[in-house]
Amino acid sequence: MNYKKYIAIKVSSYLNLSIEKIENSIVTPSDIKNGDYSLLCFKLNEKLNKSPAEVSSYLKLKLNDTIFEKIEVNGAYLNFFIDKYTYTKNVLIKIINNENKCIEFYNKEKYICIENSFINKNEKFNLNNYFQIIVSNIFCNLFTEMGYNVVDINSTKILWEDFYKLLIIGFDNEIKKKLNLQKEKNFNNINLLNDLKEKNLITTINEVDIIDLEKYNMPPYIIANKNKINKNLMDLSFIIQSKAKYNFYKYIYISGKNETTKFSQFKKIIELLGCEWGSQYINIKTGLIKFAKSDVFIRDEKYVSFSNLISETIDEIKNEWKGKNINLKDNEDLLKNILLSGIIFSFLINYRENNIGIDFSKDFSLEKKSGPYVIYSYIKTANINYEECNYNKFNFQKDFKLIKFLDNYKKNIKKAVEEMDPSIIIRYIIDLAEVLDNLHNQICINNNENLEYNMVLIKVVRTLIKDSFKLIGIELI
């Protein structure tokens, strides 16, 4: 349940203000003594001819709802305390019944275009491209989960599916073949050329047409050479046509840090053309990768083969999991999930723009709190059966902080989207795994004490882990 929205709707029925304005005036207090939610009445009083304290006192008299334990006036603040029994029961049942969806219906008319820079380039496929596919796929999933219409410009989700299918048998050449089959962008460069000429943005030097950006501390942007259209113009034209076609809310361009200059040129040219949507064109930069066996950050696979690294790691993973009485020899899907989780967690846990050091001998270990550790926690609790329980006997006061943490699934997705940071989801998954381990230990140590309640919580946490893994491209069974 969206309590902020619920409070805003209730309050709006007594004040002549929009639900959105009221919702934006509701905060979550840092001190639980001030309630679970607090309405900042000093943000609402300007059109009401009342002081903030009068507004909060007036609403206190009007609002009466059983979902709140109490409502308190604190000067210009109106503090809401959620009824813990109702809240906890609703959160747990919603997650168990798979009703914990994040879709915001006001997003359904908004388009998000996601483009991966390395596709449709005449460049050699390199190690960083694997990780750009990971980031592209996650952003496609996150924005889709939020209810946006996602336009996957390069069909990177298809590439991700191939990445998953071919992980063990070797995928370098297959992925590269797939890239060669990507559809070329359709361009109409004439209109853009005319616009650039009308605004006197084209300069010709030695038969080379450029957009001179020197006064903006940028190199010239080449658009034609001896009257032959340059790919730079095609790329720029495609973005402008995409705006006309989709009227996108955001256009996300995922690239390596080495393409920062090109992105800055794009934004400046869009501005010079008089377009007001330049702020909607966003660059997500990924760092370089350094593996434990290499002393430098690298891109070229002639120095290290990604498939060879995977192959060398598989035997180590099988041996470690065999020690946990889990045989991976005949469980290829589980082995793939372990491999993918290790790669994704290692890449994203340090935030995407940093240069990343990956040590396959450590990042796949169950001793490190990463992807494989989470999967093992998920598997070892699979046989703990959940049954319908009596919520009346649970101590909600004691575990209320935990319940609020479990209810943060949607908030973390929204935060990851707003901050363009998928590592938020990774950290949430690790925290969930730690909760799962603690619950499992309680069952093992305390036997039947709180057994029924802990079994419910384990079911809930496992569901959240499964849903969160789906967001990063991994299907847990």
Side-chain angles (χ1 to χ4, degrees):
M1 180 177 184
N2 187 333
Y3 281 88
K4 279 190 178 182
K5 179 79 72 177
Y6 185 86
I7 294 170
I9 292 171
K10 286 285 185 180
V11 171
S12 69
S13 64
Y14 298 105
L15 303 180
N16 188 25
L17 295 171
S18 70
I19 293 172
E20 183 179 6
K21 180 175 178 60
I22 297 169
E23 188 175 1
N24 289 335
S25 303
I26 300 172
V27 299
T28 303
S30 56
D31 190 343
I32 194 66
K33 293 179 181 178
N34 294 321
D36 300 295
Y37 296 95
S38 185
L39 177 63
L40 312 181
C41 295
F42 56 83
K43 289 191 174 185
L44 305 176
N45 69 305
E46 49 190 59
K47 293 184 179 180
L48 302 174
N49 297 320
K50 294 181 181 180
S51 70
E54 287 175 327
V55 173
S56 61
S57 297
Y58 168 74
L59 290 172
K60 167 71 166 61
L61 293 173
K62 293 292 184 181
L63 296 170
N64 184 20
D65 199 307
T66 57
I67 73 167
F68 298 110
E69 190 177 281
K70 59 182 176 178
I71 301 174
E72 289 184 348
V73 173
N74 184 7
Y77 299 85
L78 188 62
N79 299 330
F80 296 81
F81 295 79
I82 297 171
D83 178 74
K84 294 175 174 54
Y85 169 77
T86 303
Y87 174 78
T88 300
K89 183 178 178 181
N90 287 342
V91 168
L92 298 181
I93 291 177
K94 179 177 60 178
I95 296 171
I96 288 171
N97 292 340
N98 199 28
E99 297 170 354
N100 193 37
K101 297 303 178 185
C102 193
I103 291 175
E104 301 282 358
F105 290 103
Y106 54 77
N107 291 334
K108 66 180 181 180
E109 301 299 327
K110 296 177 181 176
Y111 283 84
I112 306 293
C113 296
I114 299 178
E115 180 182 4
N116 213 316
S117 69
F118 74 87
I119 300 176
N120 288 324
K121 284 185 177 181
N122 295 319
E123 294 181 2
K124 184 176 179 180
F125 188 82
N126 64 56
L127 281 168
N128 279 19
N129 300 151
Y130 295 117
F131 296 93
Q132 285 185 34
I133 291 173
I134 288 172
V135 173
S136 300
N137 183 62
I138 292 175
F139 274 115
C140 283
N141 293 337
L142 289 173
F143 278 100
T144 298
E145 182 71 11
M146 284 291 294
Y148 292 95
N149 287 299
V150 175
V151 181
D152 184 4
I153 298 293
N154 313 115
S155 301
T156 48
K157 285 187 72 64
I158 295 175
L159 290 177
W160 174 256
E161 291 171 4
D162 291 334
F163 190 103
Y164 180 85
K165 291 174 186 174
L166 301 168
L167 188 60
I168 295 176
I169 61 175
F171 47 76
D172 293 358
N173 290 329
E174 293 297 327
I175 290 285
K176 292 166 190 172
K177 288 177 186 176
K178 198 78 174 185
L179 286 172
N180 293 332
L181 296 175
Q182 293 296 310
K183 293 181 179 178
E184 289 293 327
K185 299 174 179 176
N186 294 316
F187 304 101
N188 181 0
N189 304 306
I190 302 301
N191 292 339
L192 178 56
L193 273 174
N194 290 337
D195 288 344
L196 291 169
K197 288 175 182 178
E198 284 178 10
K199 296 184 182 298
N200 296 316
L201 294 175
I202 298 178
T203 301
T204 303
I205 303 175
N206 296 329
E207 298 185 84
V208 178
D209 292 336
I210 65 168
I211 300 173
D212 188 359
L213 300 173
E214 183 178 2
K215 64 180 178 180
Y216 306 107
N217 297 317
M218 298 180 203
Y221 193 80
I222 299 172
I223 59 173
N225 191 344
K226 295 182 179 180
N227 296 321
K228 183 179 180 182
I229 297 296
N230 189 280
K231 190 177 182 302
N232 285 342
L233 182 68
M234 299 179 185
D235 290 342
L236 186 59
S237 178
F238 181 79
I239 293 167
I240 293 172
Q241 290 174 50
S242 295
K243 181 61 179 177
K245 182 176 181 179
Y246 300 109
N247 190 25
F248 53 72
Y249 179 66
K250 294 182 190 295
Y251 192 109
I252 300 171
Y253 182 74
I254 298 172
S255 69
K257 289 197 292 187
N258 59 319
E259 292 191 62
T260 300
T261 299
K262 181 178 180 180
F263 174 78
S264 299
Q265 289 174 312
F266 268 31
K267 292 203 74 165
K268 178 52 67 175
I269 294 169
I270 289 169
E271 177 188 324
L272 294 173
L273 284 168
C275 301
E276 298 180 353
W277 47 267
S279 61
Q280 298 171 337
Y281 183 50
I282 299 165
N283 186 206
I284 302 293
K285 298 183 285 290
T286 58
L288 294 175
I289 309 299
K290 180 171 76 174
F291 295 100
K293 295 182 180 180
S294 173
D295 294 328
V296 295
F297 291 98
I298 54 178
R299 289 200 298 263
D300 198 331
E301 282 198 280
K302 72 181 181 181
Y303 300 110
V304 58
S305 166
F306 195 60
S307 284
N308 287 346
L309 284 171
I310 293 292
S311 298
E312 292 170 4
T313 306
I314 286 175
D315 287 338
E316 296 176 14
I317 292 174
K318 286 180 177 178
N319 287 334
E320 184 173 16
W321 283 69
K322 190 175 181 180
K324 300 290 184 181
N325 296 319
I326 298 175
N327 189 356
L328 297 175
K329 185 176 180 180
D330 300 317
N331 197 336
E332 189 173 285
D333 286 339
L334 177 56
L335 180 57
K336 287 179 182 177
N337 286 342
I338 293 167
L339 286 166
L340 279 177
S341 68
I343 293 167
I344 293 172
F345 276 62
S346 299
F347 180 58
L348 291 180
I349 196 65
N350 298 308
Y351 189 62
R352 63 177 184 271
E353 290 190 22
N354 294 336
N355 291 333
I356 308 296
I358 296 180
D359 186 342
F360 276 31
S361 64
K362 294 180 181 178
D363 292 342
F364 291 93
S365 171
L366 295 175
E367 301 302 319
K368 182 174 180 177
K369 290 183 178 178
S370 63
Y373 154 76
V374 177
I375 290 179
Y376 178 65
S377 297
Y378 181 84
I379 289 174
K380 73 182 181 182
T381 54
N383 294 325
I384 297 177
N385 296 319
Y386 158 76
E387 295 179 1
E388 191 62 44
C389 58
N390 180 6
Y391 290 89
N392 291 315
K393 62 185 180 182
F394 295 155
N395 185 350
F396 294 137
Q397 189 74 36
K398 182 185 72 172
D399 293 322
F400 194 57
K401 186 176 180 181
L402 170 60
I403 301 302
K404 294 192 79 170
F405 163 75
L406 298 178
D407 198 28
N408 280 342
Y409 173 76
K410 292 188 290 186
K411 291 179 184 177
N412 281 311
I413 293 175
K414 189 174 183 180
K415 186 178 180 182
V417 164
E418 289 174 347
E419 298 183 12
M420 294 289 172
D421 183 4
S423 68
I424 290 169
I425 304 300
I426 299 298
R427 291 192 291 272
Y428 182 60
I429 292 174
I430 291 175
D431 290 342
L432 285 169
E434 290 180 346
V435 170
L436 191 59
D437 273 351
N438 289 334
L439 292 169
H440 182 257
N441 290 337
Q442 287 179 37
I443 287 179
C444 294
I445 295 171
N446 298 327
N447 295 321
N448 292 327
E449 185 179 347
N450 297 322
L451 177 62
E452 190 177 8
Y453 184 39
N454 286 335
M455 287 169 65
V456 173
L457 290 177
I458 284 174
K459 170 69 174 178
V460 167
V461 177
R462 293 185 82 252
T463 300
L464 289 173
I465 288 175
K466 184 175 182 179
D467 291 345
S468 300
F469 259 72
K470 191 172 182 180
L471 292 174
I472 64 172
I474 298 175
E475 294 276 357
L476 295 179
I477 300 173

